[in-house]
Amino acid sequence: MRKNSPIVVLGGKRMNDQFQPITAKAKPKAKSAFPEMDPKIWSRLPKELLEQILSFLPLKTLLNLRSTCKHFKSLVFSPPFISKYKHSSASSPFSSFLLLYHPLCFHRFPLYDSALATWSNFLPLSDLLPRKSPSFSLLSTSNGLVCFSLPTSSAFLVRNLLAGTSRLIDFPVHPFAFEAFTLVFTPVGYKLFMIRTGSSSTSAFVYDSSVLVWRQYDGLDPIPIDNHHQDGACFNGCLYFTTPEPFSIVCFDLESGRWERSDTELPGELTFVRLVSGDGKLYMIGGVGIDGISRSLKLWELGEARNWLEVESLPEMMHRKFVSVCYHNYEHVYCFWHQGMICVCCYTWPEILYYKVSRRTWHWLPKCPHLPNEWSCGIKWFSFIPELYAPV
């Protein structure tokens, strides 16, 4: 062998500077790419260091850890760890979605990812509702929570879809017909608000999750609420509603249970009006015209002097499409706030008209590709922003 020539070893090992062949019996075991973690070492890992490591895990892996032991299950929902996980560089914010509900949607709810601008099939109903619930309807959403009505069970179901937790809440009275249902998220939980129909006076029912009780508030006079498709607009601890013509605004104080009628003057020549709250502001969307026919659609904001300040008008071509969509039947129009957008929807149309507040621009969201063409009525949109730690 020449000096300084490279040594190539095939099927042998070096022993005492000599090369000997490896027999079958002497063949070493292949080493694992992932060596076993010594329990004697890792069991002594400081609690603070363990939590710091777990806080960098992806959300899906973190949720899977809940089933491994009681400690991890309790840790995931502990306030100190929640705060650490939220501020971890590895925990990116969740996407926000526009959720489409239709009474014939038996299998899944289509979702529009407003961050990625894509449609997806998500939320299979078999994972959301009790097995014995043939009849249900989606009523309201707020801060990662969704609320269903289960008439056959005479109950509401509040569920955190991301965490997989839920609570069944019995109707306050039987039978129970209601309208203006609104799910309101609070710093200590949530409240369910609704107005009981079929009575001579206005009776409001409020369920408070912090004390797990219903409260009933009876009004002195019947207060008609315009449009049962519209949730109340939550602003400064009150829910705001509009009444039919002559249009006015009434509000319900969620803490005291008192009704008040606003004395703020509304713009003239309104054909319909809806209220939306978001980013600490109260907005009003309304049609302006004569004889019940809208000639334009405008957006106002409630100013500091309790007056309505005009913000924007819908461009003429977009307004033509809007009135052709609802056929001047404005009782089918409802609005909601979603991640800096004011969404204007029609109960009989599969598209969404929305106003992007930061850019002051109007847009149409195209029809959902998963929605059958024959589903021309009963369409309801919701804002769904997943929140792992929203309590039920």
Side-chain angles (χ1 to χ4, degrees), residues 362-381:
W362 294 91
H363 308 270
W364 280 100
L365 179 69
K367 175 186 174 182
C368 171
H370 309 297
L371 189 68
N373 293 327
E374 60 269 19
W375 290 4
S376 59
C377 188
I379 299 167
K380 190 68 187 290
W381 295 91

Side-chain angles (χ1 to χ4, degrees), residues 51-66:
E51 292 185 6
Q52 186 65 32
I53 294 172
L54 295 178
S55 70
F56 285 94
L57 290 176
L59 176 64
K60 184 176 180 180
T61 305
L62 184 67
L63 292 178
N64 290 336
L65 281 178
R66 294 179 301 172

Side-chain angles (χ1 to χ4, degrees), residues 308-349:
W308 290 104
L309 306 175
E310 185 174 332
V311 176
E312 204 71 52
S313 293
L314 183 65
E316 183 179 355
M317 292 302 296
M318 300 183 78
H319 179 260
R320 289 182 182 178
K321 178 176 179 177
F322 172 76
V323 295
S324 67
V325 162
C326 60
Y327 301 104
H328 300 288
N329 191 357
Y330 306 118
E331 67 178 15
H332 292 155
V333 177
Y334 60 96
C335 306
F336 61 90
W337 175 271
H338 174 75
Q339 294 291 83
M341 302 187 304
I342 297 175
C343 300
V344 185
C345 311
C346 184
Y347 194 64
T348 58
W349 190 256

